[in-house]
Amino acid sequence: MIGGLFIYNHKGEVLISRVYRDDIGRNAVDAFRVNVIHARQQVRSPVTNIARTSFFHVKRSNIWLAAVTKQNVNAAMVFEFLYKMCDVMASYFGKISEENIKNNFVLIYELLDEILDFGYPQNSETGSLKTFITQQGIKGQHQTKEEQSQITSQVTGQIGWRREGIKYRRNELFLDVLESVNLLMSPQGQVLSAHVSGRVVMKSYLSGMPECKFGMNDKIIIDKAGKGGVTNEAGKSDLGGGGSTSGKQSIAIDDCTFNQCVRLSKFDSERSISFIPPDGEYELMRYRTTKDIILPFRVIPLVREVGRTKLEVKVVIKSNFKPSLLAQKIEVRIPTPLNTSGVQVICMKGKAKYKASENAIVWKIKRMAGMKESQISAEIELLPTNDKKKWARPPISMNFEVPFAPSGLKVRYLKVFESKLNYSDHDVIKWVRYIGRSGIYETRC
Amino acid sequence: MTDSKYFTTTKKGEIFELKAELNSDKKEKKKEAVKKVIASMTVGKDVSALFPDVVNCMQTDNLELKKLVYLYLMNYAKSQPDMAIMAVNTFVKDCEDPNPLIRALAVRTMGCIRVDKITEYLCEPLRKCLKDEDPYVRKTAAVCVAKLHDINAQLVEDQGFLDTLKDLISDSNPMVVANAVAALSEIAESHPNSNLLDLNPQSINKLLTALNECTEWGQIFILDCLANYTPRDDRESQSICERVTPRLSHANSAVVLSAVKVLMKFMEMLPKDLDYYGTLLKKLAPPLVTLLSAEPELQYVALRNINLIVQKRPEILKHEMKVFFVKYNDPIYVKLEKLDIMIRLASQANIAQVLAELKEYATEVDVDFVRKAVRAIGRCAIKVEQSAERCVSTLLDLIQTKVNYVVQEAIVVIKDIFRKYPNKYESVIATLCENLDSLDEPEARAAMIWIVGEYAERIDNADELLESFLEGFHDESTQVQLQLLTAIVKLFLKKPTETQELVQQVLSLATQDSDNPDLRDRGYIYWRLLSTDPVAAKEVVLAEKPLISEETDLIEPTLLEELICHIGTLASVYHKPPSAFVEGSRGVMHKRLPARTGSGEGTECPDVGNAAGGSAPEAAPSIIPSQGDLLGDLLNLDLAPPTTTGPTPSTSGMQMGGMDLLGGGLDSLMDESEPLGGDIGGSPAMGAGFGAAPTVMPASLNAPVGGGLGDLFDLGGGVGMPMGAYIPPKTVWLPAMKAKGLEISGTFARRAGVIQMELVLTNKAMSVMTDFAIQFNRNSFGLAPAGPLQVLTPLGPNQTIEVSLPLSTVGPVMKMDPLNNLQVAVKNNIDVFYFSCQYPISMLFVEDGKMERQVFLATWKDIPNDNESQFQIQDCHLNSEAASNKLQGSNIFTIAKRTVEGQDMLYMSIKLSNGIWVLAELKVQAGNPNYTISLKCRAPEVSQCVFQCYEAVLKN
């Protein structure tokens, strides 16, 4: 198991050091600094073995987190734990920076004591941690016996992510379907690979211990329902974008993963998503699709080398969605060779600039409606070089945000049942929003 | 709240001041002081002098202060054992506290204080806490047993804590169960033979129930523990699998990987024809792909594991090639791993895509990545025979870039391609020789020297080339020296007259002036061979080399099995068994996959590695020789210089080297293994050139001579013969394995307007074969035998007969897929055998296929544009004249030629035996090796086949 956990600043100075196992000596702290943080080469692996000691590290801005062990630990677990550690810290004091860590070092030690015991990760849900570890020092001095046992039963309990007795005057929930669409396209416009990775993020403000059921236009469910003639769910509590579109089309989900609150065995047997939600914001599920993806933009590059010292680039972008919808924050990044001496750009829409420090022409468009196209042309002057190596021509990348889900996913319903308190599904106010963003959206040129 | 100020105290006399503050009466001041102490401790200052003062602060009802003091205690108690005892009372008292959080805190902290005297006092409170009414205390106490065991194992056993811990597996609280499982698993690891975990169907059932209810971390502990269980039969195995599969949808990647581990292991026990087996295989792919959208560090862990999984069960991910394509912004460690998996998944079906990607990668910036990409192209060539030609031309393109490390890498892999496909691509040698001067890496130099030596008879100035290397002989690395020695001896045997001086020079350099025993011994062996019996020397040195196998870097099967049992763990990341990097008793136990129940298959070839070295598990990064190679290598061992290459030192040396190089990944390990294990381990592809060059194989006597003659003949044939119809090389249609010893290879030819099927029948069985007959299934163009198969004499064992079977095109017609597929049945006295083969459609091009110009023009216009298809023929270096001549040989007739802007447009017509006309327009641009061809035909489905013919004809 994890033998020790260190946090360093960018210089390699130790900010936090907690050793859990006797086999990790003090010199381990220095070994990592010398061999990894101060190493001359770029990091070649997130796992490093130095003198029979293994170091796992992740970086958050310029802070290094390293877990150390001498045993054959579960490597995936160690990384998951490090990410979780970052999440917990961030939810306590915001951004993970040297200053914040120094300011909260006592808190961090307390957390490390609680969520890692002898190197074994324990309950790390911030919801329950915050009931007894706070920034104002530890609660618990003046609690009653009931309160204390409530805390412990929650920390160890089956529903470790939610406490009893939550009350809201207004029962409300917000659903965000956030998708990032990824594309790699050949210069000829052939899709080399495309996939959508999506997340359903939920903010719930519900009283009591509500039982929720979430439904979407999952092909398997819809096909099943179609066969059995079951239509009761799709009808009334429809939350689909716009209200009328759902129920028609369904999408094939390649794979999905769920927050630990979701009953996985139930999903496995019935493919229904049921759960008792955590309070506040959390990620309900992640999913991935590869079929019938709506690619919101098409990039058509044209690069021509004019002699050895000039390059002509023309890039056309076409928006490919309903004309009534607007894409925002569009940015096209056209890489330029390292020996570029000057660039002239003309674009029809938006603003374009050559950024020498980034070796790219950055073309920004604030808004663009569907089924439109726009183009940019640039002349790139090159300095003559005797460098034999050819310019690698990095792909043209794009960023954007669109108000629909490129995978075609639609929320069909989210039902809330709370048998003990007297509010029903109809009393809950529900909001749904779809946002599609570019992931790695690249076209080779 | 700005605790950062505690980090800034750096003045002298600090300790003294702190002491005063710690003893202050004011609570707040005390707390401040302890915080300062902890901050100093963190940055590595020694504040152990303050021990008594800090411990004094322990008696407090302020929980925050208490925790800080405990933190301090855990750090320094060991250095001040006598004073630490002062704290015991407080601990014991806290263990009785009404607040469960404090009880747990006390027992948790006490377990971390590694002082014997304190552990004695720990036993009683621990016993109570294990039975505490509060689950939070119990789950903490469970871990504490593991802590205590780490300090004093005997004490834990004597006090009966292990039994209490076992009882906790039946606890009502899932988190208590999970922690008890974790603690027991850890303790069990150091008692390999104890039956501590005592997994049986009942306890497994409890674990599976807890699995549904506990935290993500608890699920990992339980799954990792489950993986150690061996179900009694396939039924139980299936029922566990069914209950574990829902975990594949967990958001935590570690839960997913641990579930994969359990499934991969238990699947071994399921019968392969079971429906559920197939279902399970299908269920495994999506979660593995999803792991690739995790953060990069986790992706890396996942990829290292996927690498193992595709070796064990390639079917799981065979359709998922695309997800392993490298993204521009992937961290380098992710890129390298993806590349590895791409090669493993490469097959005939996806090779075109893979090659296009690899070519793209070869132009990237990261040197290691580019090298690996180039190497990968070579590996594709060896793995997928159909792609070899394209791979070679891609490599040649890359050599043209003149980027130094690309060229060197390309040469190393081309050497392997030469070995795999002898007498096929040697025409590129000239290009390679141009780059001789730029080679500065030993491996590339050695590869080039091997090539020069191997093909000395085809390279006019081979002696000059080798001589130029000889000048700096002593500055070369051993690898190059050995290779140079062998190459010159080969050269001498091939051209004895001109190179006597050279060979003498190298022999004396190797034997007299070198103090490297390997080199010296090899030198002496050659010397003696050459001086005693040159004919024997020829047999030995120029013996036929064993073919190299496709899979060169697979993990040795026993190790692979062990690693599969360690999926998700560090062992799976390092691709080494835990014993290679874990000290002490832990992890010494080798895990094995369970055997399939009922059948005798079980583990696959368990002892191949052992035969070679006797210490297979340690030879982690070595390469599996196939059975045949192993034999050769053992023979080789007897003759090779025994001084340094004995198996024992090489394996241990490799292991040590491996440890230091861990960061470098597999590649560096492989490099490491070559000089050490090369000759013995027989790394078939990568290292083979070096290892095998002097290989002594009991090969047939006349093989090299005959081969050489054949080559010469071939060469002459290629240049001087008049253009005839294109005849594809013979391929094996029916391997002997599948036909009770009858091997059939063959090809199709069109001679004087008659289509002929040319068959070579070889009897590889022990008995005589008679009564041959042949029959075709219905096919697209109505091909049918025009007469009986003329095998008149019985075919004895090891006999070969060539038969030519005339074919007619009037047989029954049925559309096949692909169009040119032909299903054949061959009968003999033993059985009937079926195979299918593909004939080049050019066999069907009839002699009167030349269309009138006018007719051509009209027909071209008449055929709708939808029926037009365009293709690219790449890397064809003929001019339009030569191309036209060549095509005419195969009844593709040029009707007209037009030249527009330096581009030759050739218009051609073809008539198929069933009367279909195909019209073509071929664009040839001088200096551009890529032709464009447009085909128009009323039956557009033949276009693809026709295009293939163009390509085949033009390139041969």
Side-chain angles (χ1 to χ4, degrees):
Chain A
M1 282 307 117
I2 298 173
L5 209 138
F6 310 130
I7 302 180
Y8 302 84
N9 67 6
H10 66 287
K11 283 185 251 168
E13 292 164 355
V14 194
L15 303 178
I16 296 288
S17 129
R18 173 76 210 258
V19 174
Y20 293 94
R21 295 268 173 157
D22 206 36
D23 54 6
I24 303 301
R26 181 82 203 173
N27 53 353
V29 186
D30 304 320
F32 183 74
R33 177 193 309 118
V34 173
N35 288 290
V36 180
I37 302 181
H38 291 171
R40 271 191 220 124
Q41 285 175 329
Q42 191 197 352
V43 180
R44 301 305 271 197
S45 162
V47 185
T48 323
N49 191 300
I50 306 162
R52 294 204 150 224
T53 309
S54 300
F55 294 81
F56 299 76
H57 74 264
V58 300
K59 257 187 107 174
R60 287 291 179 270
S61 60
N62 53 16
I63 298 293
W64 299 74
L65 282 93
V68 198
T69 184
K70 284 209 161 185
Q71 298 173 24
N72 182 30
V73 296
N74 187 319
M77 185 188 79
V78 175
F79 280 123
E80 283 284 5
F81 176 78
L82 288 174
Y83 301 142
K84 191 76 183 185
M85 181 71 208
C86 293
D87 291 348
V88 170
M89 290 197 289
S91 84
Y92 268 96
F93 52 75
K95 191 172 171 269
I96 294 173
S97 64
E98 180 171 354
E99 204 190 344
N100 279 343
I101 287 172
K102 280 185 168 174
N103 278 337
N104 294 285
F105 82 98
V106 174
L107 171 75
I108 295 174
Y109 277 123
E110 264 180 50
L111 288 169
L112 282 176
D113 198 40
E114 187 58 44
I115 61 178
L116 207 54
D117 190 6
F118 201 40
Y120 290 104
Q122 305 291 307
N123 191 329
S124 50
E125 289 301 311
T126 34
S128 56
L129 284 172
K130 279 183 174 168
T131 57
F132 66 107
I133 297 177
T134 66
Q135 270 159 302
Q136 277 71 48
I138 300 141
K139 276 190 188 170
Q141 270 114 310
H142 311 291
Q143 287 162 325
T144 64
K145 202 162 179 241
E146 286 79 57
E147 282 173 324
Q148 287 161 1
S149 69
Q150 206 190 339
I151 291 172
T152 57
S153 77
Q154 198 209 327
V155 172
T156 59
Q158 286 187 30
I159 306 164
W161 54 87
R162 188 179 181 94
R163 64 189 168 89
E164 300 253 9
I166 298 172
K167 278 222 165 64
Y168 287 102
R169 271 181 55 203
R170 226 156 81 120
N171 288 300
E172 213 172 0
L173 62 84
F174 300 84
L175 264 180
D176 280 351
V177 176
L178 306 173
E179 295 197 337
S180 78
V181 50
N182 298 279
L183 169 76
L184 181 62
M185 194 175 251
S186 76
Q188 290 78 32
Q190 184 194 1
V191 177
L192 297 174
S193 74
H195 74 271
V196 167
S197 55
R199 306 187 299 143
V200 178
V201 175
M202 192 164 157
K203 256 185 257 175
S204 63
Y205 303 103
L206 302 169
S207 310
M209 294 297 253
E211 175 74 41
C212 297
K213 215 172 163 191
F214 174 70
M216 55 194 175
N217 57 342
D218 177 1
K219 196 165 190 295
I220 297 176
I221 291 261
I222 301 227
D223 291 355
K224 230 194 292 185
K227 267 184 218 155
V230 185
T231 49
N232 58 338
E233 280 168 342
K236 282 179 187 169
S237 52
D238 192 339
L239 290 171
S244 60
T245 42
S246 81
K248 274 189 237 155
Q249 282 164 332
S250 56
I251 62 161
I253 291 175
D254 289 22
D255 189 36
C256 45
T257 61
F258 295 100
N259 184 290
Q260 60 169 321
C261 66
V262 175
R263 292 184 189 89
L264 294 179
S265 36
K266 207 152 183 195
F267 178 76
D268 194 55
S269 56
E270 302 162 23
R271 223 177 155 86
S272 77
I273 303 166
S274 64
F275 55 100
I276 295 174
D279 195 38
E281 184 172 341
Y282 60 96
E283 187 179 286
L284 178 65
M285 72 177 284
R286 279 177 187 235
Y287 56 91
R288 186 165 49 80
T289 73
T290 44
K291 284 196 192 74
D292 303 323
I293 295 169
I294 307 159
L295 296 170
F297 283 95
R298 162 96 206 267
V299 176
I300 304 157
L302 205 75
V303 180
R304 208 162 69 93
E305 281 172 46
V306 187
R308 290 179 56 96
T309 57
K310 206 166 132 189
L311 215 57
E312 283 180 7
V313 180
K314 199 174 106 179
V315 176
V316 181
I317 59 167
K318 285 185 181 169
S319 59
N320 174 35
F321 44 87
K322 273 193 235 159
S324 57
L325 298 174
L326 273 181
Q328 293 186 62
K329 299 177 193 164
I330 300 148
E331 185 184 294
V332 183
R333 189 169 279 267
I334 304 159
T336 55
L338 298 177
N339 55 336
T340 302
S341 61
V343 174
Q344 277 136 21
V345 234
I346 311 160
C347 57
M348 297 177 357
K349 216 172 169 215
K351 279 181 191 158
K353 229 187 230 166
Y354 166 61
K355 296 200 172 163
S357 59
E358 296 165 37
N359 287 313
I361 299 166
V362 180
W363 176 25
K364 289 184 179 171
I365 304 170
K366 276 195 187 135
R367 249 172 242 105
M368 188 163 169
M371 306 316 270
K372 289 259 183 337
E373 70 171 73
S374 186
Q375 76 167 45
I376 183 171
S377 37
E379 275 186 26
I380 301 169
E381 309 272 349
L382 302 176
L383 291 171
T385 57
N386 41 15
D387 199 358
K388 265 189 200 161
K389 223 168 123 184
K390 260 181 67 189
W391 176 49
R393 280 206 188 180
I396 296 176
S397 59
M398 235 196 124
N399 287 313
F400 53 79
E401 200 179 294
V402 288
F404 60 90
S407 70
L409 182 129
K410 291 267 159 47
V411 177
R412 288 171 58 220
Y413 58 86
L414 199 147
K415 292 179 166 186
V416 182
F417 309 95
E418 166 53 277
S419 48
K420 286 184 196 149
L421 302 174
N422 54 348
Y423 71 92
S424 74
D425 186 41
H426 293 290
D427 304 328
V428 181
I429 304 160
K430 301 167 189 173
W431 306 86
V432 184
R433 178 166 66 160
Y434 298 87
I435 300 173
R437 290 200 184 94
S438 50
I440 294 165
Y441 204 85
E442 293 178 339
T443 307
R444 287 182 179 156
C445 57
Chain B
M1 176 134 172
T2 50
D3 286 347
S4 61
K5 63 172 183 274
Y6 303 115
F7 282 87
T8 51
T9 49
T10 48
K11 37 185 178 168
K12 280 185 187 165
E14 184 194 353
I15 299 273
F16 195 72
E17 253 173 53
L18 280 171
K19 210 178 174 84
E21 284 174 37
L22 284 169
N23 290 314
S24 156
D25 294 335
K26 285 178 193 147
K27 262 191 193 169
E28 269 313 300
K29 202 150 198 186
K30 259 190 188 176
K31 202 158 105 185
E32 295 286 287
V34 178
K35 280 190 184 176
K36 276 185 208 162
V37 172
I38 301 290
S40 313
M41 194 175 85
T42 300
V43 296
K45 273 186 222 156
D46 183 14
V47 283
S48 60
L50 295 167
F51 198 88
D53 309 282
V54 177
V55 172
N56 270 337
C57 302
M58 194 170 158
Q59 273 292 3
T60 172
D61 50 1
N62 182 317
L63 197 49
E64 190 182 13
L65 183 55
K66 189 168 257 174
K67 281 196 177 180
L68 289 173
V69 175
Y70 281 178
L71 193 62
Y72 180 88
L73 265 176
M74 285 187 268
N75 260 298
Y76 288 114
K78 222 176 162 188
S79 58
Q80 311 259 348
D82 293 331
M83 278 193 268
I85 209 83
M86 288 160 54
V88 165
N89 257 336
T90 323
F91 279 126
V92 175
K93 215 176 110 211
D94 280 356
C95 286
E96 306 271 336
D97 196 282
N99 185 340
L101 292 172
I102 293 191
R103 292 203 295 277
L105 177 64
V107 78
R108 184 164 69 213
T109 313
M110 234 174 144
C112 297
I113 296 176
R114 304 176 63 92
V115 175
D116 282 340
K117 280 180 195 155
I118 291 191
T119 39
E120 283 168 28
Y121 288 98
L122 175 61
C123 292
E124 276 324 299
L126 178 58
R127 198 186 315 282
K128 271 186 205 158
C129 288
L130 281 167
K131 305 221 156 116
D132 199 288
E133 51 167 21
D134 194 295
Y136 183 75
V137 180
R138 290 202 300 278
K139 71 110 184 163
T140 312
V143 176
C144 192
V145 176
K147 292 180 188 169
L148 190 59
H149 185 270
D150 194 40
I151 304 169
N152 190 340
Q154 197 56 48
L155 187 69
V156 171
E157 280 172 48
D158 295 347
Q159 295 280 338
F161 283 137
L162 293 180
D163 293 323
T164 326
L165 202 53
K166 278 192 212 166
D167 292 342
L168 288 183
I169 289 196
S170 314
D171 199 283
S172 58
N173 183 294
M175 193 155 176
V176 178
V177 179
N179 276 5
V181 167
L184 275 174
S185 305
E186 177 165 343
I187 295 170
E189 252 181 63
S190 48
H191 293 272
N193 298 318
S194 74
N195 190 20
L196 204 53
L197 272 163
D198 187 31
L199 295 173
N200 53 51
Q202 287 77 38
S203 59
I204 290 292
N205 194 35
K206 281 177 199 157
L207 292 184
L208 287 168
T209 312
L211 186 61
N212 285 327
E213 294 165 351
C214 61
T215 64
E216 45 194 330
W217 314 115
Q219 296 184 16
I220 299 169
F221 306 153
I222 291 177
L223 287 168
D224 284 352
C225 173
L226 272 178
N228 291 323
Y229 177 64
T230 310
R232 286 166 312 170
D233 51 27
D234 51 340
R235 277 251 195 88
E236 191 188 2
S237 181
Q238 178 175 348
S239 86
I240 296 176
C241 288
E242 278 166 359
R243 293 176 71 178
V244 167
T245 34
R247 299 297 120 197
L248 294 175
S249 316
H250 202 287
N252 187 314
S253 307
V255 176
V256 176
L257 268 179
S258 291
V260 169
K261 165 165 58 191
V262 174
L263 296 174
M264 283 291 285
K265 199 178 162 188
F266 289 9
M267 244 170 124
E268 284 294 305
M269 294 184 67
L270 300 177
K272 288 198 170 161
D273 46 357
L274 195 69
D275 282 349
Y276 181 71
Y277 180 84
T279 322
L280 202 52
L281 276 181
K282 267 190 218 124
K283 277 197 173 169
L284 276 170
L288 287 173
V289 174
T290 299
L291 291 176
L292 297 183
S293 42
E295 289 86 344
E297 292 87 4
L298 264 175
Q299 276 188 51
Y300 174 72
V301 174
L303 287 165
R304 292 293 282 174
N305 278 289
I306 289 172
N307 199 327
L308 298 173
I309 293 168
V310 295
Q311 288 185 54
K312 181 74 196 160
R313 299 196 176 276
E315 64 272 31
I316 295 179
L317 288 166
K318 65 177 175 208
H319 298 303
E320 301 288 351
M321 171 61 89
K322 275 189 178 178
V323 299
F324 297 102
F325 284 177
V326 171
K327 295 190 186 117
Y328 189 74
N329 289 322
D330 281 337
I332 181 68
Y333 50 82
V334 169
K335 284 185 177 175
L336 292 172
E337 292 306 318
K338 280 187 174 172
L339 197 52
D340 236 14
I341 294 169
M342 278 173 68
I343 302 161
R344 296 212 193 285
L345 292 178
S347 67
Q348 204 185 332
N350 55 26
I351 194 72
Q353 257 183 331
V354 173
L355 268 182
E357 283 294 308
L358 292 177
K359 204 173 172 186
E360 194 80 28
Y361 304 160
T363 60
E364 284 232 25
V365 271
D366 189 284
V367 177
D368 283 352
F369 181 60
V370 171
R371 279 175 180 272
K372 200 161 181 172
V374 176
R375 225 168 246 252
I377 297 174
R379 275 166 67 185
C380 284
I382 289 166
K383 192 169 176 196
V384 185
E385 185 163 359
Q386 291 81 354
S387 75
E389 190 159 337
R390 239 182 306 171
C391 294
V392 171
S393 75
T394 309
L395 287 170
L396 285 179
D397 285 351
L398 290 173
I399 288 177
Q400 299 304 341
T401 63
K402 304 272 177 203
V403 178
N404 186 281
Y405 54 86
V406 173
V407 173
Q408 311 213 35
E409 210 62 47
I411 286 181
V412 173
V413 296
I414 286 182
K415 174 208 71 196
D416 288 339
I417 297 177
F418 280 176
R419 277 214 54 195
K420 170 85 182 175
Y421 308 109
N423 304 323
K424 223 167 162 189
Y425 301 112
E426 281 76 14
S427 53
V428 306
I429 289 176
T431 323
L432 301 187
C433 288
E434 286 167 18
N435 293 286
L436 213 59
D437 298 333
S438 62
L439 308 179
D440 52 13
E441 290 161 21
E443 205 185 351
R445 286 173 83 86
M448 193 63 220
I449 292 170
W450 181 87
I451 292 170
V452 174
E454 187 67 18
Y455 298 101
E457 68 273 23
R458 313 225 187 137
I459 303 170
D460 294 337
N461 58 346
D463 50 341
E464 283 169 37
L465 293 176
L466 292 176
E467 199 173 0
S468 69
F469 280 104
L470 207 55
E471 282 161 17
F473 189 76
H474 288 299
D475 302 328
E476 300 283 3
S477 72
T478 312
Q479 194 183 12
V480 180
Q481 290 176 333
L482 285 168
Q483 210 42 255
L484 195 51
L485 171 61
T486 306
I488 292 180
V489 172
K490 282 188 199 163
L491 172 71
F492 171 69
L493 289 169
K494 290 173 178 176
K495 300 180 181 174
T497 44
E498 311 124 64
T499 55
Q500 211 154 12
E501 205 176 308
L502 196 63
V503 80
Q504 244 149 25
Q505 206 182 339
V506 77
L507 286 174
S508 84
L509 277 170
T511 53
Q512 284 157 25
D513 302 339
S514 167
D515 46 11
N516 180 330
D518 275 353
L519 184 64
R520 219 170 43 209
D521 287 2
R522 193 184 281 189
Y524 277 128
I525 287 177
Y526 283 144
W527 202 323
R528 254 166 241 163
L529 260 174
L530 293 174
S531 55
T532 47
D533 187 355
V535 179
K538 210 163 187 168
E539 282 166 27
V540 170
V541 179
L542 301 181
E544 203 176 324
K545 277 165 282 296
L547 275 185
I548 53 177
S549 81
E550 325 175 339
E551 295 297 349
T552 55
D553 56 348
L554 287 180
I555 293 173
E556 187 269 325
T558 31
L559 178 66
L560 180 62
E561 294 212 338
E562 192 179 351
L563 292 180
I564 290 286
C565 299
H566 288 292
I567 283 178
T569 69
L570 260 182
S572 72
V573 174
Y574 293 149
H575 290 185
K576 280 165 178 284
S579 54
F581 60 91
V582 174
E583 280 166 1
S585 56
R586 284 185 220 278
V588 173
M589 229 184 341
H590 288 287
K591 295 191 180 176
R592 273 290 190 97
L593 289 177
R596 184 157 295 135
T597 45
S599 73
E601 300 173 60
T603 50
E604 293 150 35
C605 62
D607 286 316
V608 170
N610 287 345
S615 52
E618 274 101 320
S622 85
I623 294 144
I624 336 158
S626 70
Q627 299 280 353
D629 285 353
L630 198 70
L631 240 163
D633 290 325
L634 285 173
L635 279 165
N636 195 4
L637 215 160
D638 289 334
L639 281 160
T643 29
T644 55
T645 46
T648 329
S650 80
T651 38
S652 66
M654 199 155 74
Q655 204 191 344
M656 279 161 65
M659 281 316 295
D660 297 335
L661 284 163
L662 263 176
L666 251 179
D667 251 15
S668 55
L669 286 171
M670 287 200 31
D671 292 341
E672 188 73 14
S673 75
E674 268 173 22
L676 292 167
D679 268 4
I680 312 159
S683 47
M686 296 299 199
F690 321 117
T695 298
V696 186
M697 284 290 292
S700 58
L701 295 184
N702 50 7
V705 182
L709 268 173
D711 289 348
L712 275 174
F713 184 76
D714 275 359
L715 230 88
V719 179
M721 278 218 314
M723 303 279 185
Y726 165 61
I727 300 167
K730 286 198 174 77
T731 48
V732 176
W733 286 335
L734 183 69
M737 298 261 291
K738 286 195 181 156
K740 302 187 178 166
L742 174 65
E743 190 191 71
I744 300 181
S745 59
T747 184
F748 292 90
R750 189 180 179 92
R751 297 213 164 88
V754 180
I755 306 169
Q756 287 187 319
M757 185 178 195
E758 301 191 340
L759 294 152
V760 179
L761 309 176
T762 308
N763 181 355
K764 294 201 171 170
M766 307 299 282
S767 57
V768 177
M769 294 177 181
T770 54
D771 303 324
F772 285 93
I774 195 163
Q775 194 61 50
F776 292 176
N777 196 358
R778 285 188 286 173
N779 54 72
S780 317
F781 295 95
L783 283 176
L789 193 60
Q790 300 284 333
V791 186
L792 300 172
T793 50
L795 193 59
N798 277 325
Q799 246 186 334
T800 298
I801 188 167
E802 292 198 27
V803 199
S804 196
L805 178 73
L807 305 181
S808 69
T809 53
V810 293
V813 175
M814 181 174 78
K815 194 176 170 190
M816 301 294 290
D817 187 30
L819 215 56
N820 55 344
N821 198 18
L822 182 64
Q823 293 175 337
V824 183
V826 170
K827 182 187 90 73
N828 64 9
N829 59 332
I830 299 169
D831 206 340
V832 183
F833 310 105
Y834 302 91
F835 63 88
S836 69
C837 54
Q838 292 180 12
Y839 48 91
I841 207 169
S842 57
M843 296 307 119
L844 303 168
F845 298 172
V846 293
E847 277 68 18
D848 61 345
K850 189 159 187 170
M851 214 178 227
E852 286 296 327
R853 278 187 184 216
Q854 254 58 27
V855 183
F856 182 93
L857 215 59
T859 321
W860 183 269
K861 279 183 189 157
D862 198 23
I863 298 175
N865 279 337
D866 288 349
N867 284 9
E868 183 174 351
S869 32
Q870 218 174 55
F871 301 91
Q872 289 274 343
I873 299 176
Q874 275 168 4
D875 278 310
C876 196
H877 296 277
L878 301 166
N879 60 21
S880 59
E881 188 83 22
S884 170
N885 280 339
K886 226 173 172 180
L887 290 167
Q888 180 128 15
S890 292
N891 294 343
I892 301 173
F893 299 96
T894 306
I895 294 164
K897 181 178 158 187
R898 202 151 62 96
T899 307
V900 183
E901 296 173 354
Q903 197 171 25
D904 288 340
M905 321 273 264
L906 299 175
Y907 295 94
M908 310 184 193
S909 72
I910 299 161
K911 187 181 170 192
L912 293 178
S913 55
N914 58 354
I916 293 178
W917 285 92
V918 183
L919 310 186
E921 178 196 69
L922 185 70
K923 286 184 202 160
V924 181
Q925 196 163 22
N928 183 354
N930 298 342
Y931 297 178
T932 309
I933 178 159
S934 306
L935 294 174
K936 262 189 167 184
C937 178
R938 291 195 200 274
E941 51 268 58
V942 302
S943 297
Q944 182 67 34
C945 288
V946 172
F947 158 64
Q948 280 164 6
C949 281
Y950 263 98
E951 198 164 41
V953 172
L954 287 173
K955 289 195 180 172
N956 282 282

